[in-house]
Amino acid sequence: MRRKMVAGNWKMYGRRASARILAREIEDGLPAVLPIDVLVCPPAIYLEAIKGVLGESARVMLGAQDLCAQGEDGARTGEISGAMLLDTGVSHVLVGHSERRQLLGETNESVGAKLVAALDAGLIPILCVGETLAEREGLRTEAVVVTQLQAVVNVAGNDAFARCIVAYEPVWAIGTGRNATPDQAQAVHGFIRSWVAEQTDQEIADDLRILYGGSVKPDNAAALFAMPDVDGGLVGGASLKASDFIAICRMAGETARAGT
């Protein structure tokens, strides 16, 4: 059975002191034993500080929000390589978050290159895919998602899905207070798993963890996580409040124990 994950994307929020407090509250507030993976992704400048708080905790892993598409060291002012992230204690990295696609001009091709760089560095990439409201209303959700997935296959090969996590994040549900219903999320997650099975094999598809991201909150997490192809959440705003994030983690743990 796939192990559920709850990942907190702190985006560009916080200061050193508040980030350390948030990490400590999450670490202290989680149950001693939790049958899920928990990940926090603070701003890059605070990764080392948060690693100092978490130490070698088996309960909370450290993730980054982005990395350079060129893996080797070089004259790339302002960039951070996968090797640097790994050296800081990072285990996972987001690639292709919709905010980077929309606001910073990342393309499907550049996202694919970043995923390859993450894999080459020994990191686990969390590939973000999803459609805008106009694309959903135009009945193009599946076509958009396939284009985003295919771009990864084009540069990384089909076996990339054996070494990464996918996060479905409908753009229209990020930071808007709207979220896909459990049935809507399940429909896309199921589609992604079926597509991966067709491209690779059923075993890889069955093992692929697919997270839902888009206004995940304590009041909707349980219903989302109960869907058979929803393997946890990529949590934005609610990850900035320790009590909310811990509540979401507990709900993921309950659905994991229930076998859903």
Side-chain angles (χ1 to χ4, degrees), residues 25-177:
E25 289 177 343
I26 291 171
E27 168 71 10
D28 291 345
L30 288 172
V33 178
L34 199 59
I36 67 167
D37 289 334
V38 178
L39 178 75
V40 294
C41 301
I45 197 169
Y46 299 137
L47 283 169
E48 196 128 27
I50 301 308
K51 183 62 178 177
V53 173
L54 300 178
E56 299 305 317
S57 169
R59 291 184 298 169
V60 183
M61 297 180 291
L62 187 64
Q65 297 177 17
D66 187 38
L67 82 165
C68 181
Q70 288 74 38
E72 69 281 358
D73 291 346
R76 301 180 182 91
T77 301
E79 290 293 302
I80 301 173
S81 72
M84 291 174 176
L85 294 175
L86 192 70
D87 192 41
T88 308
V90 167
S91 57
H92 296 66
V93 59
L94 305 180
V95 293
H97 192 281
S98 63
E99 290 161 358
R100 295 197 62 84
R101 293 179 189 261
Q102 288 195 307
L103 302 178
L104 298 171
E106 290 197 1
T107 65
N108 289 331
E109 291 70 28
S110 65
V111 170
K114 288 187 175 187
L115 185 137
V116 170
L119 291 175
D120 288 347
L123 298 169
I124 301 173
I126 300 177
L127 170 66
C128 301
V129 300
E131 82 284 11
T132 65
L133 181 59
E135 289 165 342
R136 170 164 281 272
E137 291 179 340
L139 304 179
R140 296 180 55 217
T141 294
E142 293 183 358
V144 169
V145 169
V146 165
T147 299
Q148 293 167 338
L149 295 172
Q150 186 64 51
V152 168
V153 172
N154 292 345
V155 295
N158 290 330
D159 66 344
F161 293 109
R163 298 185 290 157
C164 73
I165 296 168
V166 172
Y168 168 59
E169 43 161 25
V171 180
W172 48 272
I174 298 174
T176 64

Side-chain angles (χ1 to χ4, degrees), residues 159-246:
D159 66 344
F161 293 109
R163 298 185 290 157
C164 73
I165 296 168
V166 172
Y168 168 59
E169 43 161 25
V171 180
W172 48 272
I174 298 174
T176 64
R178 301 176 59 178
N179 66 287
T181 66
D183 287 339
Q184 287 174 325
Q186 168 58 30
V188 180
H189 282 230
F191 170 77
I192 292 171
R193 200 176 306 284
S194 296
W195 186 87
V196 171
E198 292 173 0
Q199 303 301 309
T200 58
D201 61 52
Q202 193 62 53
E203 184 177 358
I204 290 177
D206 287 343
D207 290 342
L208 176 65
R209 289 195 283 186
I210 308 174
L211 312 181
Y212 171 76
S215 297
V216 179
K217 298 181 175 67
D219 61 1
N220 62 27
L224 287 164
F225 297 164
M227 294 292 104
D229 288 300
V230 177
D231 302 315
L234 176 57
V235 184
S239 70
L240 297 171
K241 184 176 180 181
S243 59
D244 284 353
F245 188 67
I246 291 167

